[in-house]
């Protein structure tokens, strides 16, 4: 009986933990695994990243409920935070839900989808 109760307690913790990964600007941000100067929400958890091909030198994929709506629009607070961390959006290069940012010669691509996002470090400047 004690083992069953212990198992139920562990399952309850796992379920509650899984439900807590929702975007909230109050939770703050941490450094992206591929570039320590680029912010990602603290509650985002890493999943298997896409393979690096073409102009992509590094990639990271994160899951987080509420990070993007059905059209891939991220929360405004997240976009402001990226700029507060010193990144400048390359608005001419933007492609739908894919944003490009530059800082000190580095280019980061942010691809937002509903509940998931990719961060790519590019090897060279993108072309429109």
């Amino acid at each position: 009986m004690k083992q069953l109760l212990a198992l139920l307690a562990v399952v309850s913790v796992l379920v509650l933990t899984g439900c807590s990964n929702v975007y909230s600007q109050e939770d703050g941000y941490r450094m992206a695994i591929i570039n320590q100067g680029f912010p990602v929400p603290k509650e985002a958890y890493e999943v298997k990243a896409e393979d690096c091909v073409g102009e992509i030198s590094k990639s990271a994929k994160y899951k987080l409920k509420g990070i993007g709506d059905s059209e891939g629009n991220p929360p405004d607070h997240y976009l402001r935070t990226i700029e507060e961390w010193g990144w400048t959006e390359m608005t001419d290069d933007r492609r739908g839900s894919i944003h490009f940012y530059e800082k000190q010669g580095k280019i980061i691509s942010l691809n937002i989808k509903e509940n998931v996002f990719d961060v790519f470090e590019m090897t060279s400047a993108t072309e429109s």
Side-chain angles (χ1 to χ4, degrees):
M1 183 65 164
K2 287 182 182 180
Q3 290 175 339
L4 179 60
L5 289 174
L7 179 62
L8 287 174
V10 169
V11 170
S12 297
V13 168
L14 291 175
V15 169
L16 291 175
T17 302
C19 295
S20 68
N21 290 54
V22 177
Y23 175 79
S24 170
Q25 67 186 37
E26 290 82 24
D27 289 336
Y29 300 88
R30 61 182 164 90
M31 298 176 278
I33 192 145
I34 64 163
N35 185 301
Q36 295 191 355
F38 195 83
V40 296
K42 280 185 182 177
E43 292 299 317
Y45 61 95
E46 214 178 328
V47 295
K48 185 177 183 321
E50 305 292 327
D51 290 333
C52 296
V53 294
E55 295 181 333
I56 299 170
S57 63
K58 299 178 188 174
S59 69
K61 183 180 216 70
Y62 299 90
K63 286 188 102 173
L64 182 63
K65 291 179 185 174
I67 190 62
D69 63 19
S70 59
E71 284 87 40
N73 297 309
D76 288 336
H77 186 268
Y78 183 33
L79 297 179
R80 283 192 308 271
T81 299
I82 294 169
E83 290 184 0
E84 288 170 4
W85 281 39
W87 293 88
T88 303
E89 184 168 8
M90 302 165 63
T91 54
D92 291 343
D93 292 319
R94 186 172 178 192
R95 297 181 199 132
S97 65
I98 303 172
H99 300 253
F100 291 90
Y101 293 91
E102 189 276 330
K103 179 179 175 182
Q104 299 174 345
K106 294 280 187 185
I107 297 175
I108 296 288
S109 170
L110 175 67
N111 187 5
I112 302 279
K113 298 177 185 163
E114 190 173 11
N115 303 324
V116 67
F117 64 103
D118 296 287
V119 179
F120 301 114
E121 187 171 298
M122 310 304 288
T123 56
S124 63
T126 58
E127 297 180 10
S128 298

